[in-house]
Amino acid sequence: GENVEQHPSTLSVQEGDSAVIKCTYSDSASNYFPWYKQELGKGPQLIIDIRSNVGEKKDQRIAVTLNKTAKHFSLHITETQPEDSAVYFCATTTGNQFYFGTGTSLTVIP
Amino acid sequence: GAGVSQSPSNKVTEKGKDVELRCDPISGHTALYWYRQSLGQGLEFLIYFQGNSAPDKSGLPSDRFSAERTGGSVSTLTIQRTQQEDSAVYLCASSSYKGEQFFGPGTRLTVL
């Protein structure tokens, strides 16, 4: 089955700096790559996603890049704000079961 | 529009009791997933329903766990003879044919 690795497990940045979280996967058939933000006591929330026919997608301060050849994708958050503090999960799917990374706890220091 | 809802939001039970957790997916979503999340941990896949196909039960940790989905909509996760290690947040998610998966708020289960 699919193996998703996520790094780093914890990340602290100063407010206004950028944050980057990386994930690698093993199944070349994976074709959809979502990112989720989970705040304390809440369910994960889909924040951005990318499909295998696209290399990069941007939504305001958040962007995701995908390198299918190397089997890795990354989440980029620019101009970080304290409200970006949360746990972020990457995931992959071939259209059926989803496989999740182990999560990154991001802390934005005011 | 309405998102995925789960009930109850919190459940405290005694060891050995049975519990039922409910999930109402987004209307029209054909796929429904159950996950378990222990404190500070990632998401553990439990079971996956897709349309009228047989569910993928490969993630269920023991035969004390079962789930059903009636009429292709609401799902119930049942845990029989609960144990303390079953304490966790149980998350439900649903997705459409596009593949985008949306989560409910979860049910926090505490087994005393």
Side-chain angles (χ1 to χ4, degrees):
Chain A
E2 174 73 285
N3 180 37
V4 180
E5 294 189 359
Q6 182 172 345
H7 300 281
S9 57
T10 60
L11 179 61
S12 292
V13 299
Q14 290 291 137
E15 182 177 358
D17 288 350
S18 295
V20 180
I21 303 170
K22 298 182 179 180
C23 285
T24 62
Y25 62 99
S26 59
D27 190 347
S28 57
S30 292
N31 57 15
Y32 175 62
F33 307 87
W35 284 90
Y36 295 88
K37 175 183 181 183
Q38 187 175 28
E39 297 175 320
L40 199 61
K42 298 183 179 180
Q45 178 187 8
L46 178 67
I47 56 171
I48 195 167
D49 55 17
I50 193 167
R51 298 188 186 273
S52 58
N53 58 345
V54 176
E56 183 175 0
K57 183 176 178 181
K58 189 174 181 180
D59 182 3
Q60 299 183 341
R61 297 187 296 108
I62 295 173
V64 56
T65 59
L66 170 65
N67 184 326
K68 283 212 71 181
T69 302
K71 296 194 186 71
H72 67 71
F73 57 113
S74 300
L75 177 71
H76 304 253
I77 306 174
T78 58
E79 301 171 27
T80 53
Q81 301 169 2
E83 52 264 38
D84 294 330
S85 296
V87 177
Y88 291 81
F89 291 97
C90 64
T92 70
T93 182
T94 57
N96 296 302
Q97 191 180 136
F98 281 73
Y99 298 90
F100 288 83
T102 49
T104 296
S105 178
L106 173 65
T107 301
V108 180
I109 302 166
Chain B
V4 178
S5 61
Q6 292 185 245
S7 60
S9 55
N10 282 284
K11 176 70 176 179
V12 180
T13 190
E14 293 180 346
K15 177 181 174 181
K17 300 283 189 181
D18 298 352
V19 295
E20 284 190 354
L21 312 179
R22 176 187 169 105
C23 172
D24 282 85
I26 293 172
S27 178
H29 279 194
T30 57
L32 187 147
Y33 308 78
W34 282 99
Y35 298 91
R36 179 168 69 177
Q37 187 174 35
S38 300
L39 188 63
Q41 300 299 309
L43 296 161
E44 176 188 3
F45 167 75
L46 296 178
I47 189 168
Y48 159 57
F49 296 88
Q50 174 60 272
N52 295 320
S53 302
D56 177 352
K57 304 179 181 180
S58 60
L60 294 179
S62 78
D63 58 8
R64 296 186 296 104
F65 288 72
S66 64
E68 62 178 23
R69 189 179 185 192
T70 54
S73 180
V74 172
S75 177
T76 302
L77 176 69
T78 301
I79 309 173
Q80 296 178 309
R81 305 181 302 281
T82 52
Q83 303 294 313
Q84 288 183 331
E85 59 262 30
D86 299 335
S87 297
V89 174
Y90 290 81
L91 291 161
C92 174
S94 70
S95 68
S96 68
Y97 70 94
K98 293 182 181 179
E100 298 162 342
Q101 187 182 66
F102 296 92
F103 283 84
T107 293
R108 180 174 298 278
L109 175 66
T110 303
V111 182
L112 301 176

